[in-house]
Each structure stands twice: as C-alpha cells, then as structure tokens.
C-alpha cells in the first residue's frame, strides 16, 4: 500500500512540473498568468546572445526574437500626438496642443482624457504603436530652452499633476507612456555636452518631483534618460539618478531607455540604463560580451535590464495576439473635438486693453492680416513633436470664414528673407547642360563606400525623412549634393541650411557651414560674395542617424 501511494505522489509531481512539455501554453504566452511569472518564464528561455541583443534598439523598435514569437516593440514620439515611429506609422494623426498649452488649462482630468486619446491613436495608427515617448516634464528654466513648448511648465507641482493623469490616460489603453527627459534637460545650446551642476535640494524640489509622481502615482512603464550631464555624469550613465533614486528609492520596475544617441559607453547598463536607442552602437552583443569579460558590466546588471524590457513588452500586450488596429480611431471627430477643447481651455489672454476683444462685428469694416504664418501656419514644433494633421484651417481662411461677406479682409505676406536655390542657377558638375544638383545617397551616416543611389535633383528639400531616395532608409543614411553655381547678380549672399542631423556646406572647397553632429532641427548660415559671370563649385553633405529631415 505504501508503494502505491508513493507512486501516485510521484506521478502528480511530474504532471505539475512538466505541464509545458505536455503541450500546454507556455506561461509567458498566457495572458492570464501573473506578470512576474510570465517575465521569468520568458527570461528563462532566452539565450545569452538574445538577452544582450534586447539591450540595443533598432530604429524606433526593440529587437524581435522570432524563435520565441517575441515581436519588436514599436515606439513613436508623443509631443503633440502620435508622430513617426517604425514603418507604417508615419502619416497624419490628431495634432493635439503642445505641453505648455496643456498646462495652461490647469485641468489634470482634461489632460488625462487627452492622454487616453493619444494612447488610443497609438494602438491604432499603422500596425500599432506600443510605447508613446512622452510626456516631457522637464522644468522651464530658460526662455531659450529648445523644447520648452513640449514641457508642461516652470512649476514642479503643476507638471507633476498633469503628468500623472496623462500617463494614466495613455496606459489605460494598454500603451506604455515614457516620461522624459530624466533629468535636468533644460537648455538647447550644448544640450548633449552641458554639465548641469545641481544641488540636492534643487533636484528634489524642482527637477525631480514630476518624475517622482510619474513613477509613484502614475505607475509609468518607461523612463527616458536625457542627453546632458548631471553633476559630472551623463544622465544615461548616472547611477545616482537611474539606480539609487529611480529604481531603488522610487521602486521603478519598468525600463529606462536612452534618448536617441544619448549613450556614449557600453557600461551604462551598470549604471541603470537598460535600453540604448535608436541603435545599439554601444550596447550590442559584441560590445556587451567584451564588457562582461573584462568585468566592467556584470551579468546581474544585464539580467535586470532584460527583465525590465520584457516586463514592458508583456505589459503592452505584445504577446497577447495581434493588435488589430482600427484606423478610424486615428484623428477621429471625437479626438479633433478634444484637441479643440484643450486648445480653447489653454488660451491665456494676458491683457485686453479697452475691451477690444471680442471684436464688434458691427463696427468693423476691414481687417488687415500680415505675415506668411497666416497662410502657412506652423501647427507644431519641428522635430519630435511634429504631427501632420489630416486637415489644417489656415489663420487667414479662419478669419475670412468668421468675418463673412460684410467685412473686407486684406492680406500681405511679410518677406521671408530668402528662397531655395533655384535649379536655373546650378548645373551638374559633369554635365553643364543639365540644371540641378548631382545627388549621391549612402546607406550609412558617414558617406562611406560607393553611393547606393545617384541621380539629379532640382532642389535639396527632403521633407519626408522616411523616404529620402529609393532603397534608402530614412532612419540612417548620408547624402552629398554637388553643383556648379552660376550667380545671376553680383553681390553678398546669405547661405542658409536647415537640417536634422549634421551638415556641411562648401564653396570652392572652402568649408562655410559646419554642423557635422547629431542634433535636432537647426538652421545655420554663412556669408559669401558671388560675381555674375563666374562659376563656383558648391558641395553640401548631410547625415541622418535617427530623427527628422
């Protein structure tokens, strides 16, 4: 009898421990299993190289592991709505108001509705986006801050209240918010190299409260480290910020990703940066293997980062079946109305001298509208916040529609100060009879090797970074344009070039403009004297390594 009981117990134990081997769904694919059980089960199935590969991004996604049915996790910018991202997610979306206007509503609940709408559009734009790279909660400290429009305000408490509701709104749709830029990202000049020297009290009272609230109250799933240094260490390599405060003190259990190009060495994983974006130039399999071998990175740090990335992947439902996007949810009438409501609530009228507003239609005979912005309105900031709406009502059109037939509208466009170099004054170097630029595109950001595409272009004007030339990825490439310039008029000229990322402009071999660096959209200029009847060799070089056009 004892032998029979023992045999039954042994059989029961085997069935309990070998359920996966008997054909049941693996725990990591069971949407009803506890989160940590799923994370640990999936982690245990990864090879060492697969673990290391997860620590480096691939454009706007993490890296997929097809062997285990692990898809890539897609990301998109979220400054004013769902912008960009991997292939298939470009194109129009609802252009919501910018962060500083959101804050001007003083209405966390309303901003929570906006976050929910943005999360819904993320799930349904293109093939679906799982991580929205926002909110941006850095504090306004200088009027020259290049991204102040994205940030909520100069007040830590207001920024914190809005961040919590926005994050909860986004994540209620099963999309991860990514609060950024942690921390002290407050100026544009030298933003990748400036060392912010900050006291502990200033950190705790000014720069960190919004992040702390995002983690403790908003339960945010992702955090993005910033470009700058804080007290001597890059934010992506700042153990005090990432590990001691964020992960230990605040108990953040999600993933920390770098800003695009914000990692400078492999051992940042030891400091608490889990994922390098957009590409694993420092955190890749080969370099991580070498760092593990020399002891600068420990296996425990790698394993912790992998767990955090997997935790986010499972939280956003990537392992729970296809996203099944519904394109009608993107830029829906309801979302457009919400964007209008937020904009109206956020408008601040500082002064209304003589009760001029609202305008009295009975006493107005004519209105003059001045400036190119009236017909070419900038809907949002350039760079990562830039969202292309499906429809824009230009300011002049809106005024004309509101005024009706009884009021005369006069419009004058202010001079812009320049124009694109016309094809009529440039010819290709090897064929003087052909007007335009000789364009050469390379599949790397360093102008290395033979060009993958060579052609004649009438102008240098890449507005869509996703498709600069056939077969060239808009995420990572370089280009060179050459031409012979034939000035029609003698005089001094102001040459300007705008780009994201780096560019150089040469005239007759002399370097006139040099911005060969990874950067946001930036315009540079230089003076040159040209004489009619003479010709000049013109050369422009450009590289893109994750960003815009």
């Amino acid at each position: 009898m004892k032998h029979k009981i023992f045999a039954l117990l042994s059989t029961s134990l085997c069935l309990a421990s070998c359920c996966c081997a008997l054909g049941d769904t693996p725990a990591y694919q069971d949407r009803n299993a506890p989160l940590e059980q799923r994370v640990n089960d999936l982690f245990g199935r990864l090879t060492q190289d697969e673990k290391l590969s997860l620590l480096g991004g691939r454009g706007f996604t993490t890296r997929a592991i097809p062997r285990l049915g692990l898809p890539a996790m897609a990301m998109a910018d979220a400054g004013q709505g769902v912008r960009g991202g991997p292939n298939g997610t470009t194109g129009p979306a609802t252009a919501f108001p910018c962060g500083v206007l959101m804050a001007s509503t003083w209405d966390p609940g309303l901003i929570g509705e906006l976050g929910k709408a943005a999360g819904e559009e993320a799930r349904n734009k293109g093939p679906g986006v799982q991580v929205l790279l926002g909110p941006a909660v850095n504090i306004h400290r200088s009027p020259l801050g290049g991204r102040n429009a994205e940030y909520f305000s100069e007040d830590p408490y207001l920024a914190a209240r809005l961040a919590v509701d926005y994050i909860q709104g986004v994540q209620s749709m099963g999309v991860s918010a990514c609060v950024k830029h942690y921390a002290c990202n407050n100026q544009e000049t030298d933003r990748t190299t400036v060392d912010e020297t900050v006291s502990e009290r200033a950190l705790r009272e000014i720069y960190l409260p919004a992040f702390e609230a995002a983690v403790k109250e908003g339960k945010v799933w992702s955090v993005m480290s910033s470009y700058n240094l804080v007290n001597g260490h890059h934010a992506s390599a700042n153990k005090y910020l990432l590990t001691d405060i964020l992960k230990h003190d605040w108990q953040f259990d999600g993933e920390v990703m770098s800003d695009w190009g914000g990692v400078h060495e492999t051992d940042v994983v030891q400091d608490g940066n889990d994922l390098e974006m957009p590409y694993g130039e420092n955190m890749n399999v080969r370099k991580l293997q070498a760092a593990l071998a020399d002891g600068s990175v420990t296996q425990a740090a790698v394993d912790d980062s992998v767990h955090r990335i997997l935790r986010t992947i499972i939280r956003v439902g990537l392992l729970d079946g296809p996203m099944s996007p519904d394109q009608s949810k993107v830029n829906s009438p309801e979302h457009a109305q919400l964007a209008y409501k937020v904009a109206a609530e956020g408008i601040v009228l500082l002064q209304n001298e003589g009760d001029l507003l609202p305008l009295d239609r009975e006493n107005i005979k004519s209105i003059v509208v001045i400036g190119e912005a009236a017909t070419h309105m900038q809907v949002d900031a350039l760079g990562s916040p830039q969202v292309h709406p499906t429809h824009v009502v230009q300011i002049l059109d809106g005024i004309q529609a509101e005024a009706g037939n009884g009021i005369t509208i006069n419009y004058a466009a202010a001079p812009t100060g320049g124009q694109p170099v016309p094809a009529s004054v440039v010819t290709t170097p090897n064929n003087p009879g052909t007007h335009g630029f000789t364009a050469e595109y390379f599949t790397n950001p360093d102008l290395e090797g033979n060009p993958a595409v060579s052609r004649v272009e009438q102008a240098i004007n890449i507005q869509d970074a996703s498709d600069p030339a056939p077969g060239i990825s808009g995420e990572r490439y370089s280009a060179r344009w050459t031409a012979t310039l034939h000035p029609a008029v003698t005089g001094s000229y102001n040459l300007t070039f705008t780009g994201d990322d780096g560019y150089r402009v040469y005239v007759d071999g002399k370097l006139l403009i040099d911005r060969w660096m990874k950067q946001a959209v930036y315009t540079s200029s230089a003076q040159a004297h040209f004489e009619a009847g003479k010709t000049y060799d013109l050369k422009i070089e450009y590289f893109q390594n994750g960003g815009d056009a």
Side-chain angles (χ1 to χ4, degrees):
M1 187 67 176
K2 293 179 180 179
H3 294 295
K4 291 181 180 179
I5 293 174
F6 177 76
L8 288 172
L9 288 172
S10 298
T11 302
S12 176
L13 288 171
C14 179
L15 289 173
S17 61
C18 302
C19 62
C20 291
L22 295 178
D24 290 354
T25 301
Y28 78 92
Q29 294 180 337
D30 182 0
R31 67 174 65 195
N32 297 316
L35 174 63
E36 291 309 304
Q37 182 182 348
R38 299 182 72 182
V39 172
N40 292 332
D41 181 60
L42 180 53
F43 176 84
R45 298 170 187 272
L46 296 172
T47 66
Q48 175 72 343
D49 283 0
E50 287 170 341
K51 293 178 185 178
L52 300 181
S53 72
L54 284 173
L55 272 57
R58 191 170 188 178
F60 267 83
T61 72
T62 57
R63 293 185 179 269
I65 301 179
R67 181 181 69 84
L68 295 173
L70 180 64
M73 181 168 63
M75 308 172 191
D77 286 313
Q80 293 185 233
V82 185
R83 171 221 174 254
N87 291 336
T89 57
T90 56
T94 302
F96 292 107
C98 64
V100 68
L101 193 147
M102 292 186 210
S104 298
T105 67
W106 296 83
D107 190 339
L110 181 60
I111 303 312
E113 292 180 40
L114 190 155
K116 184 176 181 180
E120 183 176 48
E121 295 208 1
R123 286 190 65 88
N124 292 287
K125 188 176 181 183
V129 170
Q130 291 81 48
V131 181
L132 272 181
L133 302 174
V137 300
N138 296 102
I139 301 300
H140 296 174
R141 299 298 282 169
S142 164
L144 301 180
R147 304 184 72 170
N148 280 354
E150 287 181 72
Y151 303 155
F152 286 136
S153 77
E154 74 281 7
D155 183 80
Y157 181 78
L158 177 59
R161 294 305 93 213
L162 296 171
V164 169
D165 283 67
Y166 180 91
I167 289 165
Q168 290 175 343
V170 169
Q171 294 186 171
S172 71
M173 301 305 299
V175 174
S176 173
C178 180
V179 66
K180 62 183 187 180
H181 309 85
Y182 185 70
C184 303
N185 185 294
N186 306 102
Q187 71 178 58
E188 188 66 22
T189 303
D190 300 325
R191 65 175 178 160
T192 62
T193 56
V194 65
D195 187 358
E196 306 285 4
T197 303
V198 189
S199 70
E200 184 68 13
R201 180 175 180 180
L203 271 177
R204 298 290 185 168
E205 293 185 0
I206 299 174
Y207 298 105
L208 298 188
F211 291 100
E212 183 174 8
V215 172
K216 290 184 175 180
E217 300 176 58
K219 307 298 182 184
V220 71
W221 295 339
S222 299
V223 172
M224 180 186 291
S225 57
S226 60
Y227 282 129
N228 51 283
L229 290 81
V230 179
N231 294 332
H233 300 278
H234 271 104
S236 63
N238 198 306
K239 182 177 181 295
Y240 182 62
L241 287 178
L242 300 183
T243 299
D244 297 347
I245 295 179
L246 179 62
K247 294 182 176 180
H248 288 170
D249 293 353
W250 298 347
Q251 294 294 294
F252 174 65
D253 67 353
E255 65 179 5
V256 175
M257 70 176 73
S258 73
D259 204 339
W260 267 228
V263 168
H264 306 279
E265 53 271 324
T266 302
D267 59 5
V268 296
V269 65
Q270 202 66 28
D271 301 308
N273 202 97
D274 305 309
L275 173 63
E276 180 185 6
M277 296 300 293
Y279 301 97
E281 295 185 355
N282 296 282
M283 295 169 64
N284 57 52
V285 174
R286 179 179 59 82
K287 290 187 176 181
L288 285 165
Q289 286 175 337
L292 286 165
D294 66 24
S296 58
V297 169
T298 64
Q299 186 65 45
V302 169
D303 291 350
D304 180 65
S305 292
V306 173
H307 272 89
R308 292 171 178 277
I309 294 168
L310 295 179
R311 194 173 289 124
T312 307
I313 287 172
I314 293 172
R315 278 173 165 159
V316 299
L318 260 183
L319 299 178
D320 298 339
M323 298 288 286
S324 302
D326 179 357
Q327 303 300 322
S328 69
K329 303 288 187 182
V330 180
N331 203 37
S332 66
E334 295 79 11
H335 292 175
Q337 185 60 38
L338 176 61
Y340 179 85
K341 181 179 180 180
V342 174
E345 292 292 328
I347 291 175
V348 177
L349 179 61
L350 297 180
Q351 194 171 9
N352 190 15
E353 290 186 357
D355 294 325
L356 177 65
L357 299 176
L359 297 177
D360 184 356
R361 181 187 300 273
E362 299 301 320
N363 294 321
I364 295 176
K365 302 302 181 184
S366 65
I367 296 173
V368 61
V369 181
I370 302 172
E372 187 182 18
T375 56
H376 295 83
M377 179 172 61
Q378 182 173 320
V379 177
D380 42 35
L382 298 176
S384 59
Q386 188 174 28
V387 175
H388 298 292
T390 56
H391 177 65
V392 175
V393 177
Q394 299 294 342
I395 294 173
L396 180 61
D397 296 334
I399 292 175
Q400 289 173 330
E402 187 68 19
N405 296 325
I407 300 175
T408 301
I409 306 297
N410 299 295
Y411 170 68
T416 62
Q419 61 177 331
V421 175
S424 60
V425 300
V426 291
T427 56
T428 57
N430 297 326
N431 190 350
T434 301
H435 286 281
F437 298 85
T438 296
E440 299 173 305
Y441 289 88
F442 302 79
T443 56
N444 60 77
D446 306 306
L447 299 164
E448 293 180 345
N450 296 321
V453 174
S454 297
R455 63 185 185 184
V456 175
E457 295 180 354
Q458 296 302 296
I460 301 171
N461 188 19
I462 303 174
Q463 293 289 346
D464 186 357
S466 65
D467 186 24
I472 302 295
S473 168
E475 284 294 325
R476 188 179 171 88
Y477 70 97
S478 53
R480 179 186 292 120
W481 294 272
T482 53
T484 302
L485 178 65
H486 305 263
V489 178
T490 297
S492 293
Y493 289 80
N494 188 44
L495 304 180
T496 66
F497 192 94
T498 301
D500 165 350
D501 291 302
Y503 48 84
R504 296 185 287 233
V505 177
Y506 300 81
V507 174
D508 283 346
K510 181 181 178 181
L511 182 59
L512 293 187
I513 296 176
D514 185 9
R515 291 285 299 186
W516 199 254
M517 64 183 71
K518 183 168 177 58
Q519 61 187 334
V521 175
Y522 193 89
T523 299
S524 299
S525 62
Q527 292 285 331
H529 182 80
F530 297 134
E531 294 185 19
K534 291 188 176 181
T535 60
Y536 301 84
D537 293 330
L538 185 61
K539 179 172 72 172
I540 300 97
E541 297 175 334
Y542 170 75
F543 82 84
Q544 173 60 247
N545 197 5
D548 303 299

